[in-house]
mmCIF file of all heavy atoms in Angstrom:
data_model
loop_
_atom_site.group_PDB
_atom_site.id
_atom_site.type_symbol
_atom_site.label_atom_id
_atom_site.label_comp_id
_atom_site.label_asym_id
_atom_site.label_seq_id
_atom_site.Cartn_x
_atom_site.Cartn_y
_atom_site.Cartn_z
ATOM 1 N N PHE O 25 -21.623 10.434 -13.352
ATOM 2 C CA PHE O 25 -21.444 9.070 -13.825
ATOM 3 C C PHE O 25 -22.789 8.372 -13.956
ATOM 4 O O PHE O 25 -23.741 8.676 -13.234
ATOM 5 C CB PHE O 25 -20.555 8.272 -12.857
ATOM 6 C CG PHE O 25 -21.140 8.100 -11.491
ATOM 7 C CD1 PHE O 25 -21.874 6.955 -11.164
ATOM 8 C CD2 PHE O 25 -20.981 9.081 -10.513
ATOM 9 C CE1 PHE O 25 -22.423 6.803 -9.899
ATOM 10 C CE2 PHE O 25 -21.528 8.931 -9.252
ATOM 11 C CZ PHE O 25 -22.254 7.789 -8.946
ATOM 12 N N SER O 26 -22.857 7.451 -14.895
ATOM 13 C CA SER O 26 -24.038 6.609 -15.026
ATOM 14 C C SER O 26 -23.863 5.384 -14.134
ATOM 15 O O SER O 26 -22.800 4.757 -14.160
ATOM 16 C CB SER O 26 -24.218 6.182 -16.483
ATOM 17 O OG SER O 26 -25.376 5.378 -16.625
ATOM 18 N N PRO O 27 -24.847 5.031 -13.315
ATOM 19 C CA PRO O 27 -24.720 3.897 -12.397
ATOM 20 C C PRO O 27 -24.368 2.601 -13.122
ATOM 21 O O PRO O 27 -24.887 2.320 -14.209
ATOM 22 C CB PRO O 27 -26.106 3.810 -11.753
ATOM 23 C CG PRO O 27 -26.648 5.197 -11.849
ATOM 24 C CD PRO O 27 -26.136 5.739 -13.146
ATOM 25 N N ILE O 28 -23.489 1.820 -12.515
ATOM 26 C CA ILE O 28 -23.037 0.553 -13.080
ATOM 27 C C ILE O 28 -23.227 -0.549 -12.038
ATOM 28 O O ILE O 28 -23.773 -0.306 -10.967
ATOM 29 C CB ILE O 28 -21.566 0.645 -13.527
ATOM 30 C CG1 ILE O 28 -20.685 1.173 -12.366
ATOM 31 C CG2 ILE O 28 -21.423 1.533 -14.743
ATOM 32 C CD1 ILE O 28 -19.227 1.314 -12.712
ATOM 33 N N LYS O 29 -22.759 -1.765 -12.361
ATOM 34 C CA LYS O 29 -22.919 -2.883 -11.446
ATOM 35 C C LYS O 29 -22.330 -2.578 -10.074
ATOM 36 O O LYS O 29 -21.371 -1.830 -9.965
ATOM 37 C CB LYS O 29 -22.257 -4.134 -12.029
ATOM 38 C CG LYS O 29 -22.979 -4.706 -13.234
ATOM 39 C CD LYS O 29 -22.310 -5.980 -13.714
ATOM 40 C CE LYS O 29 -23.054 -6.579 -14.899
ATOM 41 N NZ LYS O 29 -22.410 -7.831 -15.379
ATOM 42 N N SER O 30 -22.889 -3.207 -9.055
ATOM 43 C CA SER O 30 -22.577 -2.875 -7.676
ATOM 44 C C SER O 30 -21.083 -2.914 -7.362
ATOM 45 O O SER O 30 -20.529 -1.959 -6.814
ATOM 46 C CB SER O 30 -23.329 -3.817 -6.734
ATOM 47 O OG SER O 30 -23.011 -3.538 -5.384
ATOM 48 N N HIS O 31 -20.404 -4.026 -7.706
ATOM 49 C CA HIS O 31 -18.996 -4.141 -7.328
ATOM 50 C C HIS O 31 -18.126 -3.153 -8.100
ATOM 51 O O HIS O 31 -17.128 -2.665 -7.578
ATOM 52 C CB HIS O 31 -18.511 -5.578 -7.544
ATOM 53 C CG HIS O 31 -18.450 -6.021 -8.969
ATOM 54 N ND1 HIS O 31 -19.576 -6.352 -9.682
ATOM 55 C CD2 HIS O 31 -17.389 -6.174 -9.814
ATOM 56 C CE1 HIS O 31 -19.223 -6.712 -10.909
ATOM 57 N NE2 HIS O 31 -17.911 -6.600 -11.022
ATOM 58 N N ARG O 32 -18.516 -2.847 -9.335
ATOM 59 C CA ARG O 32 -17.765 -1.863 -10.113
ATOM 60 C C ARG O 32 -18.052 -0.449 -9.618
ATOM 61 O O ARG O 32 -17.173 0.422 -9.649
ATOM 62 C CB ARG O 32 -18.108 -1.991 -11.595
ATOM 63 C CG ARG O 32 -17.642 -3.316 -12.193
ATOM 64 C CD ARG O 32 -17.981 -3.416 -13.660
ATOM 65 N NE ARG O 32 -17.503 -4.671 -14.232
ATOM 66 C CZ ARG O 32 -17.709 -5.049 -15.485
ATOM 67 N NH1 ARG O 32 -18.401 -4.269 -16.306
ATOM 68 N NH2 ARG O 32 -17.242 -6.200 -15.921
ATOM 69 N N LEU O 33 -19.277 -0.226 -9.171
ATOM 70 C CA LEU O 33 -19.631 1.078 -8.621
ATOM 71 C C LEU O 33 -18.840 1.358 -7.347
ATOM 72 O O LEU O 33 -18.400 2.488 -7.109
ATOM 73 C CB LEU O 33 -21.132 1.142 -8.343
ATOM 74 C CG LEU O 33 -21.663 2.460 -7.777
ATOM 75 C CD1 LEU O 33 -21.385 3.608 -8.755
ATOM 76 C CD2 LEU O 33 -23.158 2.365 -7.506
ATOM 77 N N THR O 34 -18.648 0.320 -6.531
ATOM 78 C CA THR O 34 -17.840 0.476 -5.317
ATOM 79 C C THR O 34 -16.424 0.925 -5.666
ATOM 80 O O THR O 34 -15.866 1.819 -5.031
ATOM 81 C CB THR O 34 -17.792 -0.854 -4.540
ATOM 82 O OG1 THR O 34 -19.121 -1.207 -4.139
ATOM 83 C CG2 THR O 34 -16.915 -0.729 -3.306
ATOM 84 N N TYR O 35 -15.847 0.311 -6.680
ATOM 85 C CA TYR O 35 -14.494 0.672 -7.122
ATOM 86 C C TYR O 35 -14.474 2.107 -7.644
ATOM 87 O O TYR O 35 -13.556 2.877 -7.343
ATOM 88 C CB TYR O 35 -14.040 -0.296 -8.211
ATOM 89 C CG TYR O 35 -12.633 -0.065 -8.701
ATOM 90 C CD1 TYR O 35 -11.541 -0.530 -7.977
ATOM 91 C CD2 TYR O 35 -12.398 0.622 -9.887
ATOM 92 C CE1 TYR O 35 -10.238 -0.321 -8.425
ATOM 93 C CE2 TYR O 35 -11.109 0.834 -10.344
ATOM 94 C CZ TYR O 35 -10.035 0.365 -9.612
ATOM 95 O OH TYR O 35 -8.758 0.591 -10.056
ATOM 96 N N LEU O 36 -15.496 2.486 -8.418
ATOM 97 C CA LEU O 36 -15.588 3.850 -8.941
ATOM 98 C C LEU O 36 -15.621 4.865 -7.807
ATOM 99 O O LEU O 36 -14.929 5.893 -7.845
ATOM 100 C CB LEU O 36 -16.836 3.983 -9.819
ATOM 101 C CG LEU O 36 -17.102 5.329 -10.502
ATOM 102 C CD1 LEU O 36 -17.892 5.093 -11.799
ATOM 103 C CD2 LEU O 36 -17.878 6.289 -9.612
ATOM 104 N N ILE O 37 -16.439 4.576 -6.789
ATOM 105 C CA ILE O 37 -16.567 5.501 -5.662
ATOM 106 C C ILE O 37 -15.237 5.646 -4.927
ATOM 107 O O ILE O 37 -14.810 6.755 -4.597
ATOM 108 C CB ILE O 37 -17.670 5.014 -4.706
ATOM 109 C CG1 ILE O 37 -19.041 5.141 -5.382
ATOM 110 C CG2 ILE O 37 -17.645 5.798 -3.396
ATOM 111 C CD1 ILE O 37 -20.158 4.462 -4.631
ATOM 112 N N GLU O 38 -14.579 4.527 -4.668
ATOM 113 C CA GLU O 38 -13.296 4.566 -3.962
ATOM 114 C C GLU O 38 -12.284 5.428 -4.705
ATOM 115 O O GLU O 38 -11.604 6.275 -4.116
ATOM 116 C CB GLU O 38 -12.752 3.147 -3.790
ATOM 117 C CG GLU O 38 -13.540 2.302 -2.804
ATOM 118 C CD GLU O 38 -13.030 0.871 -2.744
ATOM 119 O OE1 GLU O 38 -12.135 0.523 -3.563
ATOM 120 O OE2 GLU O 38 -13.498 0.104 -1.885
ATOM 121 N N LYS O 39 -12.166 5.223 -6.006
ATOM 122 C CA LYS O 39 -11.179 5.968 -6.792
ATOM 123 C C LYS O 39 -11.565 7.431 -6.937
ATOM 124 O O LYS O 39 -10.696 8.309 -6.931
ATOM 125 C CB LYS O 39 -10.991 5.320 -8.169
ATOM 126 C CG LYS O 39 -10.466 3.888 -8.092
ATOM 127 C CD LYS O 39 -9.220 3.802 -7.203
ATOM 128 C CE LYS O 39 -8.804 2.386 -6.919
ATOM 129 N NZ LYS O 39 -7.671 2.299 -5.953
ATOM 130 N N ALA O 40 -12.854 7.717 -7.047
ATOM 131 C CA ALA O 40 -13.302 9.105 -7.137
ATOM 132 C C ALA O 40 -12.942 9.869 -5.866
ATOM 133 O O ALA O 40 -12.488 11.011 -5.913
ATOM 134 C CB ALA O 40 -14.811 9.154 -7.375
ATOM 135 N N VAL O 41 -13.136 9.230 -4.721
ATOM 136 C CA VAL O 41 -12.780 9.861 -3.445
ATOM 137 C C VAL O 41 -11.273 10.062 -3.358
ATOM 138 O O VAL O 41 -10.794 11.127 -2.932
ATOM 139 C CB VAL O 41 -13.277 9.005 -2.265
ATOM 140 C CG1 VAL O 41 -12.732 9.542 -0.935
ATOM 141 C CG2 VAL O 41 -14.798 8.981 -2.224
ATOM 142 N N GLU O 42 -10.506 9.075 -3.790
ATOM 143 C CA GLU O 42 -9.048 9.163 -3.701
ATOM 144 C C GLU O 42 -8.471 10.289 -4.557
ATOM 145 O O GLU O 42 -7.490 10.925 -4.170
ATOM 146 C CB GLU O 42 -8.425 7.824 -4.111
ATOM 147 C CG GLU O 42 -8.654 6.709 -3.090
ATOM 148 C CD GLU O 42 -8.141 5.365 -3.579
ATOM 149 O OE1 GLU O 42 -7.505 5.331 -4.661
ATOM 150 O OE2 GLU O 42 -8.367 4.355 -2.888
ATOM 151 N N VAL O 43 -9.081 10.552 -5.712
ATOM 152 C CA VAL O 43 -8.551 11.601 -6.593
ATOM 153 C C VAL O 43 -9.068 12.983 -6.215
ATOM 154 O O VAL O 43 -8.649 13.982 -6.807
ATOM 155 C CB VAL O 43 -8.858 11.316 -8.072
ATOM 156 C CG1 VAL O 43 -8.256 10.001 -8.510
ATOM 157 C CG2 VAL O 43 -10.355 11.347 -8.349
ATOM 158 N N GLY O 44 -9.995 13.057 -5.245
ATOM 159 C CA GLY O 44 -10.408 14.362 -4.741
ATOM 160 C C GLY O 44 -11.770 14.855 -5.163
ATOM 161 O O GLY O 44 -12.065 16.048 -5.011
ATOM 162 N N ALA O 45 -12.635 13.992 -5.681
ATOM 163 C CA ALA O 45 -13.988 14.427 -6.045
ATOM 164 C C ALA O 45 -14.723 14.931 -4.804
ATOM 165 O O ALA O 45 -14.697 14.295 -3.756
ATOM 166 C CB ALA O 45 -14.765 13.288 -6.689
ATOM 167 N N THR O 46 -15.381 16.075 -4.931
ATOM 168 C CA THR O 46 -16.126 16.648 -3.811
ATOM 169 C C THR O 46 -17.635 16.425 -3.942
ATOM 170 O O THR O 46 -18.369 16.550 -2.966
ATOM 171 C CB THR O 46 -15.866 18.155 -3.698
ATOM 172 O OG1 THR O 46 -16.211 18.796 -4.949
ATOM 173 C CG2 THR O 46 -14.394 18.417 -3.392
ATOM 174 N N HIS O 47 -18.098 16.110 -5.158
ATOM 175 C CA HIS O 47 -19.515 15.857 -5.400
ATOM 176 C C HIS O 47 -19.635 14.672 -6.360
ATOM 177 O O HIS O 47 -18.945 14.635 -7.389
ATOM 178 C CB HIS O 47 -20.219 17.065 -6.011
ATOM 179 C CG HIS O 47 -20.235 18.275 -5.129
ATOM 180 N ND1 HIS O 47 -19.113 19.042 -4.896
ATOM 181 C CD2 HIS O 47 -21.244 18.837 -4.413
ATOM 182 C CE1 HIS O 47 -19.432 20.038 -4.072
ATOM 183 N NE2 HIS O 47 -20.698 19.927 -3.758
ATOM 184 N N LEU O 48 -20.517 13.736 -6.028
ATOM 185 C CA LEU O 48 -20.776 12.588 -6.889
ATOM 186 C C LEU O 48 -22.218 12.676 -7.385
ATOM 187 O O LEU O 48 -23.155 12.682 -6.577
ATOM 188 C CB LEU O 48 -20.550 11.283 -6.123
ATOM 189 C CG LEU O 48 -19.150 11.081 -5.524
ATOM 190 C CD1 LEU O 48 -19.078 9.753 -4.782
ATOM 191 C CD2 LEU O 48 -18.084 11.134 -6.604
ATOM 192 N N HIS O 49 -22.376 12.739 -8.703
ATOM 193 C CA HIS O 49 -23.696 12.929 -9.303
ATOM 194 C C HIS O 49 -24.078 11.719 -10.162
ATOM 195 O O HIS O 49 -23.554 11.571 -11.276
ATOM 196 C CB HIS O 49 -23.709 14.173 -10.186
ATOM 197 C CG HIS O 49 -23.326 15.439 -9.493
ATOM 198 N ND1 HIS O 49 -24.229 16.223 -8.801
ATOM 199 C CD2 HIS O 49 -22.123 16.069 -9.380
ATOM 200 C CE1 HIS O 49 -23.608 17.283 -8.307
ATOM 201 N NE2 HIS O 49 -22.335 17.200 -8.642
ATOM 202 N N PRO O 50 -24.952 10.833 -9.707
ATOM 203 C CA PRO O 50 -25.442 9.756 -10.573
ATOM 204 C C PRO O 50 -26.334 10.343 -11.669
ATOM 205 O O PRO O 50 -27.211 11.167 -11.390
ATOM 206 C CB PRO O 50 -26.245 8.871 -9.628
ATOM 207 C CG PRO O 50 -25.854 9.297 -8.238
ATOM 208 C CD PRO O 50 -25.486 10.734 -8.344
ATOM 209 N N VAL O 51 -26.103 9.923 -12.907
ATOM 210 C CA VAL O 51 -26.850 10.434 -14.057
ATOM 211 C C VAL O 51 -27.524 9.265 -14.773
ATOM 212 O O VAL O 51 -26.868 8.284 -15.121
ATOM 213 C CB VAL O 51 -25.919 11.184 -15.031
ATOM 214 C CG1 VAL O 51 -26.712 11.692 -16.228
ATOM 215 C CG2 VAL O 51 -25.219 12.336 -14.327
ATOM 216 N N ILE O 52 -28.836 9.381 -14.988
ATOM 217 C CA ILE O 52 -29.594 8.338 -15.662
ATOM 218 C C ILE O 52 -29.639 8.653 -17.158
ATOM 219 O O ILE O 52 -30.220 9.657 -17.579
ATOM 220 C CB ILE O 52 -31.021 8.225 -15.100
ATOM 221 C CG1 ILE O 52 -30.971 8.075 -13.569
ATOM 222 C CG2 ILE O 52 -31.749 7.054 -15.746
ATOM 223 C CD1 ILE O 52 -30.163 6.897 -13.094
ATOM 224 N N CYS O 53 -28.999 7.786 -17.934
ATOM 225 C CA CYS O 53 -28.932 7.974 -19.383
ATOM 226 C C CYS O 53 -29.903 7.011 -20.087
ATOM 227 O O CYS O 53 -30.559 6.190 -19.446
ATOM 228 C CB CYS O 53 -27.510 7.743 -19.877
ATOM 229 S SG CYS O 53 -26.278 8.806 -19.095
ATOM 230 N N GLN O 54 -29.958 7.100 -21.405
ATOM 231 C CA GLN O 54 -30.903 6.292 -22.167
ATOM 232 C C GLN O 54 -30.679 4.801 -21.961
ATOM 233 O O GLN O 54 -31.632 4.015 -21.882
ATOM 234 C CB GLN O 54 -30.787 6.637 -23.656
ATOM 235 C CG GLN O 54 -31.752 5.862 -24.547
ATOM 236 C CD GLN O 54 -31.637 6.258 -26.005
ATOM 237 O OE1 GLN O 54 -30.864 7.153 -26.356
ATOM 238 N NE2 GLN O 54 -32.395 5.601 -26.868
ATOM 239 N N HIS O 55 -29.431 4.384 -21.867
ATOM 240 C CA HIS O 55 -29.120 2.952 -21.764
ATOM 241 C C HIS O 55 -28.576 2.558 -20.385
ATOM 242 O O HIS O 55 -27.919 1.529 -20.261
ATOM 243 C CB HIS O 55 -28.125 2.562 -22.850
ATOM 244 C CG HIS O 55 -28.632 2.793 -24.249
ATOM 245 N ND1 HIS O 55 -29.677 2.078 -24.784
ATOM 246 C CD2 HIS O 55 -28.247 3.691 -25.194
ATOM 247 C CE1 HIS O 55 -29.914 2.499 -26.016
ATOM 248 N NE2 HIS O 55 -29.061 3.473 -26.289
ATOM 249 N N THR O 56 -28.844 3.361 -19.389
ATOM 250 C CA THR O 56 -28.427 2.999 -18.028
ATOM 251 C C THR O 56 -29.156 1.737 -17.587
ATOM 252 O O THR O 56 -30.385 1.668 -17.639
ATOM 253 C CB THR O 56 -28.740 4.147 -17.042
ATOM 254 O OG1 THR O 56 -27.980 5.300 -17.401
ATOM 255 C CG2 THR O 56 -28.382 3.743 -15.615
ATOM 256 N N GLN O 57 -28.418 0.731 -17.168
ATOM 257 C CA GLN O 57 -29.006 -0.557 -16.813
ATOM 258 C C GLN O 57 -29.320 -0.688 -15.328
ATOM 259 O O GLN O 57 -30.053 -1.597 -14.926
ATOM 260 C CB GLN O 57 -28.065 -1.687 -17.234
ATOM 261 C CG GLN O 57 -27.859 -1.764 -18.744
ATOM 262 C CD GLN O 57 -26.948 -2.913 -19.140
ATOM 263 O OE1 GLN O 57 -26.225 -3.457 -18.310
ATOM 264 N NE2 GLN O 57 -26.981 -3.290 -20.410
ATOM 265 N N PHE O 58 -28.753 0.199 -14.507
ATOM 266 C CA PHE O 58 -28.951 0.097 -13.056
ATOM 267 C C PHE O 58 -29.372 1.463 -12.499
ATOM 268 O O PHE O 58 -28.613 2.115 -11.790
ATOM 269 C CB PHE O 58 -27.671 -0.391 -12.379
ATOM 270 C CG PHE O 58 -27.166 -1.699 -12.927
ATOM 271 C CD1 PHE O 58 -26.225 -1.716 -13.935
ATOM 272 C CD2 PHE O 58 -27.648 -2.903 -12.444
ATOM 273 C CE1 PHE O 58 -25.761 -2.918 -14.452
ATOM 274 C CE2 PHE O 58 -27.200 -4.103 -12.950
ATOM 275 C CZ PHE O 58 -26.254 -4.112 -13.967
#
């Protein structure tokens, strides 16, 4: 995933854990703002 705003990132992390993600990889793209 490309990093997003803090409060939205928290929601992303919570849902990723709930669905069973075993590895979380932040990816820096051309237009990543955070």
Side-chain angles (χ1 to χ4, degrees):
F25 64 94
S26 181
I28 53 181
K29 290 183 178 180
S30 178
H31 67 284
R32 294 180 179 177
L33 181 60
T34 298
Y35 183 80
L36 182 152
I37 292 169
E38 290 176 354
K39 298 309 171 185
V41 172
E42 289 175 6
V43 300
T46 57
H47 297 73
L48 302 179
H49 303 274
V51 179
I52 308 303
C53 303
Q54 181 178 357
H55 299 293
T56 297
Q57 296 181 343
F58 304 94

